[in-house]
Amino acid sequence: MNCNDATRALSAAQEQTLAPGERTSLQSHLAICPLCRDFGEQVSFLRQSMRAYAGRADDSPGAENLVARPISNSRGKKCSAAAAAYAAVSGE
C-alpha cells in the first residue's frame, strides 16, 4: 500500500468497515509512515469536530473554532486540521 492508497483507506474507514486485507495493509503502512499516521489523526479529528459542530445550535458561540483549532503535523508545523487534510489529499 502506498500513501495515496492509505489516505483513501483512512478516509473510507470513517464511513465504512474496511475489508480485513485492506485493514491489515493499512495498519502495516501506518506502522512505517508518519505522514499517513498524521493524516489519520487529522481525519479522525475532523470527523469528531464535524459531529460536535453538527450537535451545536447554529448560533452557538465558538462553534466555528472547532475546525480552525491549530494542530501540529509531523514536522511540528502548526496548521488547521482542515488545511492539513487538504494538503495531504492534494499533495501540496
Side-chain angles (χ1 to χ4, degrees), residues 12-59:
Q14 297 299 311
E15 302 295 325
Q16 62 193 15
T17 302
L18 299 177
E22 187 174 20
R23 188 173 55 245
T24 300
S25 293
L26 177 60
Q27 290 171 338
S28 296
H29 181 82
L30 294 176
I32 62 170
C33 184
L35 295 176
C36 287
R37 280 194 305 271
D38 285 349
F39 179 78
E41 291 172 9
Q42 293 162 1
V43 168
S44 178
F45 171 77
L46 283 172
R47 181 181 176 127
Q48 293 170 3
S49 295
M50 292 298 103
R51 284 185 173 191
Y53 182 79
R56 291 180 176 222
D58 289 342
D59 60 352

Side-chain angles (χ1 to χ4, degrees), residues 76-89:
K77 184 178 176 184
K78 295 284 185 184
C79 55
S80 72
Y86 171 78
V89 172

